[in-house]
Amino acid sequence: MSARILPPTPAAIAEAADLLRAGQLVGMPTETVYGLAADASDPEAVARIFAAKGRPNDHPVIVHVAAGADLSRWAARVPDAARRLMAAFWPGPLTLILPRAPGVLDAVTGGQDTVGLRCPSHPVAQALLAAFGGGVAAPSANRFGRVSPTTAQHVAGEFDQAVPVVLDGGPCEVGIESTIVDVSSDIPILLRPGHVSAVALSAVLGTAVLTRAQMDERRSVPRVSGSLSAHYAPRTPLKLAGAAVLAAEVAAARAQGRSVGVWSSRDPGGATVWVQAPSEPERYAQALYATLRELDGRGLDLLLLENPPAAPAWSAVRDRLGRAAVGSGAG
């Protein structure tokens, strides 16, 4: 039996909330990607996430909360920096790493003394969280390390009967996972780039937000979702190439008898399949995972993607593509 994709009617949301209370998994839309949701306070339910995804046990998951939720159930304290970021960006695509409260499951935190919290802006996610009345662990609804889902159909095709219901919230507006910022200490650290940029974070905080690379030598930083070098990967080998050498890369692959799918701003010529890439970072991010999934399903020998610009606005996209290339075995 395949997962049932349901329109987000009040009855469907109530059914999904009942499934969460019963310890089952639910496909939940958010503005970033679709999540594989379970009751974050139920150890057996959280274990079902890890089993369904094939996720390493020490890899933490993010707890999603409703707007206005009491965070004391999850966080031991909420520093001033966190409150300022919440006021500016919640509900929205921003995850905050906070000191964990007593009683938060080790499976949720990866055994660390911190917990990741997010308040999604998608109206269906908010309706489900309000109906459920608790925190929901919801990593991306895909097999671990593979391409994240941005439609309900992606989720249903990934898990079949392991997920009884997927709420259909339409294509995800943002399209890549949330920005993650560690605010558990006195120095805010950007651990995963996303739609909320470092510039926007710094403007709210009135101080520069440092990156993981800048902090690694000073102190350890928490493990967070999407931080492994190999992630977000299609099964087809994926290679990144600059615009100037893309045509030569296509020609070389075709000379070897390999079929090639290309995602680039201009047609390099000679590709088996060419898809035009958006020129704006927001539109590119929104289309990224759906395009990777579509090309991955073509049975091609190689995917060639044009390297995005090095400008800060493209940092989140570049992060995802770099990890996808490594995860595909071609990076």
Side-chain angles (χ1 to χ4, degrees):
M1 179 184 297
S2 297
R4 289 181 297 138
I5 298 177
L6 300 181
T9 63
I13 289 169
E15 179 181 349
D18 286 342
L19 286 168
L20 291 176
R21 292 187 194 97
Q24 298 301 309
L25 304 180
V26 170
M28 180 181 77
T30 79
E31 71 277 18
T32 57
V33 299
Y34 274 70
L36 190 60
D39 181 353
S41 65
D42 181 341
E44 293 184 2
V46 174
R48 286 191 175 94
I49 292 178
F50 284 82
K53 285 178 63 72
R55 187 182 181 94
N57 290 334
D58 66 347
H59 210 55
V61 292
I62 295 167
V63 177
H64 294 64
V65 297
D70 180 4
L71 300 186
S72 64
R73 165 67 181 84
W74 307 102
R77 58 185 177 85
V78 181
D80 178 65
R83 295 188 186 280
R84 291 160 69 181
L85 293 175
M86 288 161 53
F89 301 114
W90 276 18
L94 176 66
T95 295
L96 299 176
I97 305 299
L98 297 162
R100 68 185 280 187
V104 177
L105 298 175
D106 281 344
V108 166
T109 68
Q112 302 176 107
D113 59 4
T114 55
V115 64
L117 298 181
R118 182 162 100 83
C119 179
S121 63
H122 198 293
V124 177
Q126 280 294 322
L128 178 59
L129 289 163
F132 174 61
V136 167
S140 58
N142 56 280
R143 304 290 178 179
F144 184 73
R146 294 302 174 185
V147 180
S148 300
T150 54
T151 69
Q153 290 74 22
H154 292 164
V155 181
E158 193 96 12
F159 291 109
D160 293 329
Q161 65 268 26
V163 182
V165 163
V166 182
L167 294 174
D168 190 352
C172 297
E173 180 181 2
V174 173
I176 57 174
E177 296 79 4
S178 62
T179 302
I180 300 180
V181 180
D182 178 15
V183 283
S184 63
S185 68
D186 57 348
I187 302 176
I189 310 167
L190 178 63
L191 298 182
R192 182 173 72 183
H195 183 75
V196 180
S197 69
V199 171
L201 295 167
S202 297
V204 170
L205 294 175
T207 184
V209 175
L210 301 181
T211 66
R212 174 190 293 271
Q214 292 169 317
M215 289 303 301
D216 278 347
E217 295 182 357
R218 303 187 207 182
R219 67 171 175 82
S220 61
V221 296
R223 298 187 309 277
V224 296
S225 297
S227 60
L228 300 179
S229 59
H231 219 77
Y232 317 115
R235 289 174 172 80
T236 309
L238 183 157
K239 186 176 181 180
L240 302 175
V245 300
L246 198 57
E249 292 279 359
V250 172
R254 296 308 302 272
Q256 297 170 356
R258 305 172 79 187
S259 56
V260 185
V262 175
W263 198 29
S264 61
S265 56
R266 296 182 181 179
D267 186 354
T272 311
V273 179
W274 172 66
V275 178
Q276 186 171 18
S279 58
E280 301 83 17
E282 293 81 6
R283 288 182 55 229
Y284 191 108
Q286 185 180 43
L288 173 58
Y289 292 145
T291 302
L292 286 183
R293 282 176 172 267
E294 194 276 330
L295 289 172
D296 200 24
R298 291 291 192 100
L300 300 163
D301 296 317
L302 177 67
L303 304 183
L304 280 173
L305 273 65
E306 179 182 345
N307 254 326
W314 289 86
S315 62
V317 163
R318 291 174 65 87
D319 173 82
R320 303 312 192 273
L321 290 178
R323 298 176 197 275
V326 172
S328 74

